[in-house]
Amino acid sequence: MSSRPGAGAHRGGAGTAGPRHSIPLHRAEALRLLGSVSLGRIVFTQDALPAIRPVNHLLDRGEIIIRTQEGAAIATATRQADMDGVVVAYEADTIDPVTHIGWSVVVTGYCRPVTDPRDLAYYRELLHPWTEGQREHALRIRPDLVTGLRLTAALPASVTGVGPG
């Protein structure tokens, strides 16, 4: 018996939800799902190590748009990159904590600053940061590689015909 309070009560997400079936998503469905939520995580390189930040986003003309502040690590990295931008990953998901049913999408692509004043004004109107501070810059992620999966309840062996053995 562990001496830690609550130890063993939640072992790595195992619970009564049962096994899950993972179904790959097509690109269009993955992007549709990503566009249906407003929060995700951007993954980039900072000092040669991976860094992850939660950010809100919108999907516009097939690209992921985020806003950031002057001096933010990702803003600095994109400004210092060449014209292609900096390679990032972007992840968003909706997975129920009790049933473990939902979906996850990961996009990998190049991130560049939005420089057109009309686009910046448009994104300032549409995308409202949920943390305090000024977010004067916008970044655009081109989704070159899009992967995703849907987690569903696994069908019982009696339905699938697959059993032990």
Side-chain angles (χ1 to χ4, degrees):
M1 181 98 176
S2 176
S3 60
R4 295 179 304 163
H10 193 264
R11 295 185 179 152
T16 59
R20 295 289 161 254
H21 181 68
S22 176
I23 303 168
L25 296 171
H26 294 285
R27 178 186 177 94
E29 176 69 356
L31 288 173
R32 185 192 68 75
L33 289 168
L34 184 111
S36 73
V37 297
S38 62
L39 179 67
R41 293 149 206 89
I42 189 165
V43 182
F44 59 98
T45 303
Q46 182 178 10
D47 300 325
L49 296 171
I52 303 172
R53 301 287 187 275
V55 293
N56 63 327
H57 69 269
L58 62 84
L59 201 61
D60 183 45
R61 294 173 282 183
E63 295 182 316
I64 301 159
I65 308 298
I66 64 170
R67 287 182 56 196
T68 188
Q69 63 192 21
E70 180 69 38
I74 185 63
T76 301
T78 57
R79 269 197 317 278
Q80 294 172 349
D82 60 23
M83 291 184 54
D84 286 333
V86 61
V87 174
V88 300
Y90 194 82
E91 189 274 346
D93 59 54
T94 299
I95 299 175
D96 185 277
V98 175
T99 65
H100 304 159
I101 291 174
W103 58 267
S104 176
V105 171
V106 177
V107 170
T108 305
Y110 286 93
C111 181
R112 296 181 320 275
V114 173
T115 56
D116 183 284
R118 290 175 304 213
D119 286 347
L120 281 169
Y122 178 69
Y123 297 139
R124 284 184 188 127
E125 287 295 316
L126 290 179
L127 187 57
H128 303 283
W130 45 270
T131 57
E132 59 189 31
Q134 294 294 317
R135 305 286 188 271
E136 295 303 317
H137 302 279
L139 303 175
R140 178 187 322 268
I141 302 167
R142 183 184 71 212
D144 293 319
L145 176 63
V146 179
T147 60
L149 59 91
R150 184 178 301 280
L151 298 171
T152 63
L155 295 174
S158 61
V159 173
T160 63
V162 178

